[in-house]
Amino acid sequence: MPNPTSPSTIHRTDYTPPPFLIDTIELEFELEAERTTVTSKMQLRRNPQAAYCPELQLSGEALQLISLRLDGVACTNRQIDEAGLTVYDVPDAFELTIVNACEPASNTSLMGLYLSNGHFFTQCEAQGFRKITYFLDRPDVMARYTVILRANKAAYPILLSNGNLIEAGDLPNGKHYAKWHDPFAKPSYLFALVAGQLVALEERIITHSGAQKLLQVWVEAHDLDKTHHAMDALIHAIHWDEARFGLELDLERFMIVAVSDFNMGAMENKGLNIFNTKYVLANPQTATDSDYANIEAVVGHEYFHNWTGNRVTCRDWFQLSLKEGLTVFRDQEFSADMAAAGAVNAAAARASQRIENVRILQQVQFAEDAGPMAHPVRPESYVEINNFYTATVYEKGAEVVRMYQTLLGRDGFRQGMDLYFQRHDGQAVSCDDFRQAMAEANQRDLAQFEHWYSQLGTPYVLVRSQYDEAARTYTVTLAQHYKPVLNAPYTASAPLLIPFAIGLVDANGQDLALQLAGEGAPGTATRVLELNQAEQTFRFINVQTQPVPSLLRDFSAPVIVEYDYTDDELIFLLAHDSDPFNRWAAGQRLVTRTLLALARQAERTQLTGNQLNQSIIDAFGRILRDETLTPAFREQVLTLPTEIYLAEQMDQADPAAVHTARQYLRTQLANALSHDWSTIYARHQTPGPYQPTPADMGQRALKNLALSYLSNSKQSAHALHLAQTQYDRADNMSDRSAALAALIHLGGQPAQAALADFYQRFENEPLAIDKWFALQATQQRAEMDLIKLVRTLMHHPAFTLKNPNRVRALIFSFISGNPAQFHATNGSGYALWVEQVLALDTLNPQLAARLARLLERWRKFTPALREQMHEALETVLASVHSKDVREIIDKALI
Ligand code: 0A1
Ligand code: ZN
């Protein structure tokens, strides 16, 4: 029986300061693949802020202790267990010298020190440093690091660590060494080393204060031609952080290194960011427009951590969102500013960025918040911290930060940031410290805002409105509430402070200048109402005719708005709302409503003929043809919500019905607008060489959406011709992969030929081969048995469970991209899931836990599926090893 308060659960409120502090550490590595020796010399002292503790407990995992000396003398008064090393009766201040070994070559967890393509890499966040040496492996212990790396020179010519290179040279027996010093105290999770045969793209830049900095992007030699975009992104990020937040790069050199085997996107180690190749490498042939955009965002994200995360870090792991929410917010703002700078219509470019961010939040975080892993932005407890690098901590955390800016204004937010750094530079602090800085810099009481950190679940805001024609008033009542999470019923602790942006649109589609009762004159078109009670009424005056409300403009808070819009009102907002985000949101509401009705119908009967309201098709057609709108925006409006999102909106998720409904609507939109799709396809070609500019990216996105609709239309011969021509002539991966997707969808010999060509063309480009796997796994052809195909592909020589990108490309893509086939009634999808979770469980627990999470919403499904999913979860529980996976399954089964 799962026990939510078992001793292995760590609770936020149990935090105590570390009993000892470590001022400096000198680390020496004898790098050998099979067995690396680590010598650690540390200066320790008792922490005056902590309760007295006679012994010193250091964390250590999968290590062999070779020797231990205290103040130079061999120390035997110690004990080792699976959690680490305890040294008894230590003095108040002392030097500890530890020699230990670890085994990089057999480390498949990709945490601690490991090998990838024969090079050494480290990953220490959150608790990987303890797999390298014994240490106080917690973020509130900040030390100054000096690191000496020794290795065979031929095999590992490049030796990198954090900070500045202070010495390097040759050693006997074909070895060499490098000595690095990081002048900034840091927690162990920010330590990194890299050793291998790598080459770098280099740039020198001058920062704001006139200092020269060396920037490097390190990769394997054959990838050097794919580093320019990452370097550009880095330079832009450095300048942006100076301009927007007055934050300058503090090291003489800043390095990015690409690694093929990595559990996450990238890691912000001080001065030595380590990146999944997927978020560094790009050239037009191998990377899509979204890859280019993601690289810019992730390079920005890791760079911005240098201040928000590294200079000011987290007191404990419950405060993770302090750095992650804030840094995601910063990278979103960076991407928006970059898109706006390169666009003809800056506001539209910004809105398209915002839509993408919110789409992910609504799809992933809202579902998380309604399931067994629901947790506040600042979690209360965890078993395995790696399971809490979640959409809630990251994406909802970013929305929480954004709300400060919405409430305080851009200048007020900047003042809050300035005060935060003034107070806390060099410290390990909490989310409360951030809120205090925001409040005090703006002389505002933000006590109520604390609930955003402690409340789990997505708040609903129920909106009622009333127009009084005689009095010319329009009253809006906002009421906040929660819906119980399936297997963890909960209620609100107290009302949240919700910034609720609203506009009122008149019958001509014009915004009203808003005037609240009591105000002397009309004001702006958009008003941020501050909802701070359970229910509140706002009365607008001088409203001449009944308006349509535009609610939660620009998604001003991470909530779900409940309002009984009629279809006609949504069509009206889709056509007229001056807030582009809400225009998109109106379209999504309309289409989601339509799809859910179709899905309910599909559960009972076949969907044939035209079942659609013509006015909806017309509304989308008008958007499609509206040349005043950017192509990027039109593409977003005409992209249907995913099947996973739709299933989540049903009382009982029925993936098969959702699939039928979505395919049906796709076909209807494809056929009804086929003339428009053809015109769009022809018109939105991007002449000239490939450029990842917002304008060109938008054109390609819309054109490729048109191709996708055409391949779902009656004109399949026409689509086949277009797809084949596009595939053959493509000078970039966006066009080539979109054409391949269309060909796969159309099936038959052309699909097989294109797949074979693609494989051959990109055999030596792992990231392109990932796309080859993913495109097959996410194809939407009802007559294909995809589970069989996935199993066949798992036997392909290019498939391996050891590479997380490959596993995500095939297995994760299939499960999330093809829910109808995954949830096959014969249980074959679940059997595949059980096998792969268990196979990964011993190899790579973090990745296994992520895969395990794909079944956590089992209670949401129709009874027949639910039963089988339950059984699958029990099967995994019976043989699971890692605490990562166990925590997920335990919580799912509560
Ligand atoms: N701090 C990183 C995310 C990250 C977390 C854990 C990792 O371990 C495998 C790796 C990276 C970020 O936010 O980018
Ligand atoms: Zn981060």
Side-chain angles (χ1 to χ4, degrees):
M1 191 55 204
N3 177 359
T5 53
S6 77
S8 52
T9 303
I10 321 274
H11 296 273
R12 179 177 70 86
T13 47
D14 287 348
Y15 173 83
T16 52
F20 294 87
L21 299 174
I22 303 175
D23 294 313
T24 60
I25 173 169
E26 275 171 53
L27 280 169
E28 291 182 33
F29 287 84
E30 301 288 342
L31 291 166
E32 303 264 2
E34 300 302 322
R35 184 178 151 95
T36 285
T37 314
V38 185
T39 304
S40 159
K41 197 201 288 177
M42 299 178 274
Q43 314 300 324
L44 292 108
R45 63 189 160 94
R46 279 213 158 70
N47 181 2
Q49 318 292 354
Y52 182 88
C53 181
E55 71 266 5
L56 168 72
Q57 282 182 310
L58 301 176
S59 306
E61 256 173 45
L63 301 175
Q64 295 136 40
L65 180 67
I66 297 170
S67 72
L68 176 68
R69 274 175 298 154
L70 197 153
D71 287 332
V73 180
C75 171
T76 50
N77 196 8
R78 45 114 173 141
Q79 198 189 314
I80 289 185
D81 60 22
E82 71 270 22
L85 166 67
T86 308
V87 189
Y88 298 100
D89 301 323
V90 296
D92 287 345
F94 54 100
E95 180 183 278
L96 204 62
T97 310
I98 299 172
V99 183
N100 69 266
C102 60
E103 294 175 358
S106 58
N107 179 2
T108 57
S109 68
L110 312 183
M111 290 296 286
L113 180 64
Y114 67 95
L115 288 170
S116 171
N117 294 350
H119 321 286
F120 286 96
F121 294 92
T122 53
Q123 172 55 41
C124 292
E125 187 178 5
Q127 298 177 328
F129 194 72
R130 63 187 63 182
K131 299 180 78 165
I132 296 174
T133 186
Y134 298 96
F135 199 72
L136 286 170
D137 190 12
R138 44 186 289 169
D140 55 354
V141 173
M142 299 171 79
R144 286 198 168 74
Y145 285 64
T146 305
V147 178
I148 296 175
L149 305 174
R150 296 191 198 92
N152 180 287
K153 190 173 181 176
Y156 310 105
I158 301 300
L159 303 172
L160 309 174
S161 191
N162 316 88
N164 302 317
L165 178 64
I166 50 175
E167 226 181 281
D170 288 340
L171 295 168
N173 304 322
K175 290 191 163 190
H176 72 146
Y177 79 98
K179 184 172 180 180
W180 292 82
H181 176 71
D182 183 351
F184 296 97
K186 65 170 175 284
S188 51
Y189 83 86
L190 291 173
F191 166 80
L193 75 78
V194 172
Q197 287 186 357
L198 302 169
V199 297
L201 173 72
E202 290 194 352
E203 290 277 353
R204 271 165 228 276
I205 60 159
I206 308 284
T207 55
H208 184 71
S209 66
Q212 206 197 70
K213 312 281 178 180
L214 172 62
L215 310 180
Q216 296 175 318
V217 180
W218 290 95
V219 295
E220 290 178 4
H222 57 97
D223 287 325
L224 194 59
D225 66 328
K226 304 187 196 80
T227 51
H228 295 271
H229 180 64
M231 178 63 88
D232 288 349
L234 177 59
I235 294 172
H236 286 134
I238 292 173
H239 293 320
W240 183 87
D241 219 10
E242 290 181 348
R244 177 82 179 255
F245 289 109
L247 299 172
E248 193 174 344
L249 173 57
D250 55 7
L251 287 164
E252 291 159 29
R253 88 158 69 192
F254 191 88
M255 299 172 279
I256 286 177
V257 190
V259 57
S260 312
D261 301 289
F262 201 70
N263 282 334
M264 308 276 278
M267 180 62 213
E268 70 263 24
N269 318 298
K270 184 80 187 185
L272 181 59
N273 289 356
I274 295 182
F275 272 62
N276 187 326
T277 45
K278 184 172 163 61
Y279 297 105
V280 183
L281 303 181
N283 70 23
Q285 279 65 49
T286 58
T288 61
D289 289 331
S290 358
D291 292 327
Y292 274 85
N294 290 338
I295 289 168
E296 181 179 83
V298 179
V299 168
H301 181 96
E302 305 311 328
Y303 176 74
F304 302 141
H305 267 314
N306 191 49
W307 280 92
T308 50
N310 301 5
R311 286 288 285 256
V312 182
T313 194
C314 301
R315 186 192 72 174
D316 55 72
W317 291 119
F318 296 101
Q319 318 299 327
L320 183 58
S321 199
L322 171 75
K323 75 177 177 83
E324 296 305 345
L326 177 52
T327 305
V328 171
F329 168 73
R330 275 152 54 69
D331 84 52
Q332 290 178 351
E333 289 288 275
F334 168 60
S335 294
D337 285 347
M338 292 293 292
V344 182
N345 183 343
R350 240 174 241 291
S352 283
Q353 291 287 327
R354 183 77 185 123
I355 289 167
E356 277 327 297
N357 298 153
V358 175
R359 205 206 287 275
I360 291 175
L361 182 86
Q362 290 178 333
Q363 258 175 44
V364 185
Q365 199 280 325
F366 281 11
E368 179 168 279
D369 236 349
M373 271 293 285
H375 54 276
V377 160
R378 184 189 58 200
E380 289 300 332
S381 67
Y382 61 76
V383 174
E384 172 52 65
I385 185 57
N386 289 329
N387 286 332
F388 285 81
Y389 286 77
T390 59
T392 300
V393 167
Y394 276 65
E395 271 73 31
K396 185 174 180 178
E399 293 301 322
V400 169
V401 173
R402 183 177 295 277
M403 285 189 287
Y404 288 107
Q405 183 172 270
T406 305
L407 290 165
L408 305 172
R410 228 163 120 145
D411 293 343
F413 184 77
R414 169 67 194 269
Q415 278 159 25
M417 289 286 279
D418 289 352
L419 184 61
Y420 174 65
F421 290 116
Q422 210 174 303
R423 282 186 179 170
H424 301 299
D425 188 11
Q427 299 176 7
V429 303
S430 70
C431 297
D432 284 338
D433 294 315
F434 184 78
R435 184 168 50 84
Q436 281 300 325
M438 283 291 154
E440 285 172 36
N442 290 278
Q443 290 101 44
R444 262 201 71 154
D445 179 358
L446 289 176
Q448 190 184 6
F449 202 76
E450 206 259 345
H451 302 311
W452 278 111
Y453 292 94
S454 53
Q455 175 70 53
L456 84 170
T458 308
Y460 284 75
V461 176
L462 176 66
V463 183
R464 280 164 291 153
S465 67
Q466 208 188 0
Y467 180 60
D468 183 336
E469 200 176 346
R472 299 274 187 262
T473 59
Y474 188 73
T475 351
V476 176
T477 302
L478 306 179
Q480 47 176 309
H481 68 107
Y482 292 88
K483 297 199 173 161
V485 161
L486 272 174
N487 36 357
Y490 64 90
T491 45
S493 52
L496 297 164
L497 168 55
I498 300 177
F500 195 94
I502 186 173
L504 301 179
V505 188
D506 75 12
N508 300 322
Q510 300 296 312
D511 276 334
L512 300 180
L514 301 180
Q515 186 176 9
L516 283 167
E519 291 176 344
T524 51
T526 299
R527 185 71 178 240
V528 180
L529 305 176
E530 291 191 11
L531 172 62
N532 56 20
Q533 293 159 33
E535 180 167 324
Q536 239 162 306
T537 297
F538 300 87
R539 196 149 55 91
F540 295 96
I541 56 172
N542 288 329
V543 182
Q544 303 309 321
T545 53
Q546 169 134 22
V548 178
S550 168
L551 304 168
L552 201 74
R553 281 188 159 173
D554 204 35
F555 199 74
S556 61
V559 302
I560 296 173
V561 174
E562 294 175 296
Y563 181 73
D564 283 329
Y565 281 116
T566 63
D567 281 3
D568 285 343
E569 286 172 323
L570 290 174
I571 289 172
F572 175 80
L573 289 175
L574 174 61
H576 299 294
D577 201 323
S578 68
D579 182 68
F581 178 86
N582 264 5
R583 251 181 119 161
W584 169 82
Q588 291 294 299
R589 234 174 229 266
L590 194 59
V591 89
T592 301
R593 184 184 283 184
T594 307
L595 282 162
L596 292 177
L598 287 169
R600 278 190 295 273
Q601 209 176 323
E603 281 180 322
R604 297 189 309 269
T605 104
Q606 282 225 318
L607 296 180
T608 49
N610 187 358
Q611 321 243 355
L612 289 176
N613 180 347
Q614 186 61 33
S615 60
I616 293 181
I617 297 197
D618 292 344
F620 283 97
R622 279 194 295 275
I623 294 286
L624 190 55
R625 290 184 294 271
D626 187 342
E627 301 277 334
T628 66
L629 297 169
T630 62
F633 180 77
R634 287 186 269 163
E635 190 268 344
Q636 288 174 313
V637 172
L638 280 133
T639 296
L640 301 181
T642 63
E643 292 183 17
I644 296 228
Y645 175 79
L646 292 164
E648 190 65 41
Q649 312 307 310
M650 299 178 87
D651 291 330
Q652 279 196 345
D654 183 343
V658 163
H659 179 75
T660 309
R662 194 171 180 276
Q663 277 308 117
Y664 174 82
L665 182 59
R666 276 226 303 185
T667 314
Q668 295 294 311
L669 285 172
N671 288 325
L673 304 172
S674 72
H675 176 71
D676 296 308
W677 290 123
S678 293
T679 318
I680 293 269
Y681 186 84
R683 264 204 216 150
H684 291 274
Q685 302 292 328
T686 40
Y690 175 84
Q691 280 187 308
T693 58
D696 278 12
M697 286 158 100
Q699 305 260 13
R700 275 189 292 273
L702 184 59
K703 177 196 67 181
N704 287 326
L705 183 73
L707 181 61
S708 157
Y709 270 106
L710 286 170
S711 64
N712 278 281
S713 76
K714 286 192 201 121
Q715 306 186 29
S716 55
H718 177 49
L720 178 63
H721 170 72
L722 297 179
Q724 230 156 8
T725 315
Q726 176 168 325
Y727 182 88
D728 291 338
R729 296 197 187 153
D731 72 344
N732 66 82
M733 182 54 104
S734 283
D735 283 345
R736 195 180 308 278
S737 62
L740 180 58
L743 289 168
I744 293 174
H745 186 72
L746 294 164
Q749 197 278 330
Q752 292 316 313
L755 277 167
D757 175 86
F758 190 97
Y759 190 85
Q760 214 181 1
R761 207 181 267 265
F762 296 114
E763 206 165 1
N764 299 317
E765 298 289 354
L767 297 171
I769 296 301
D770 287 340
K771 298 182 201 305
W772 184 82
F773 279 105
L775 285 172
Q776 296 183 75
T778 55
Q779 61 183 296
Q780 300 288 319
R781 296 177 64 217
E783 72 279 15
M784 278 289 275
D785 180 347
L786 283 182
I787 292 171
K788 207 166 131 206
L789 177 67
V790 169
R791 284 193 182 279
T792 309
L793 288 172
M794 286 182 65
H795 287 108
H796 191 282
F799 184 79
T800 165
L801 281 181
K802 291 200 172 151
N803 178 260
N805 287 352
R806 197 54 47 94
V807 175
R808 284 187 280 258
L810 182 58
I811 301 174
F812 285 64
S813 300
F814 164 62
I815 297 178
S816 4
N818 247 311
Q821 294 234 19
F822 174 64
H823 293 280
T825 47
N826 65 9
S828 51
Y830 306 145
L832 178 78
W833 175 87
V834 169
E835 280 165 37
Q836 300 318 310
V837 171
L838 289 177
L840 285 168
D841 179 46
T842 42
L843 211 57
N844 183 338
Q846 262 182 55
L847 190 62
R850 299 245 166 205
L851 185 59
R853 289 201 59 189
L854 300 187
L855 239 65
E856 75 187 24
R857 295 290 277 135
W858 66 283
R859 281 177 210 268
K860 175 96 201 177
F861 287 76
T862 52
L865 296 178
R866 197 187 323 166
E867 269 307 297
Q868 297 194 54
M869 292 163 94
H870 186 203
E871 232 171 85
L873 287 157
E874 294 283 3
T875 311
V876 167
L877 186 64
S879 5
V880 66
H881 287 100
S882 71
K883 68 173 175 172
D884 305 56
V885 174
R886 182 176 295 275
E887 178 176 29
I888 303 297
I889 307 284
D890 277 349
K891 287 187 168 155
L893 289 173
I894 285 174

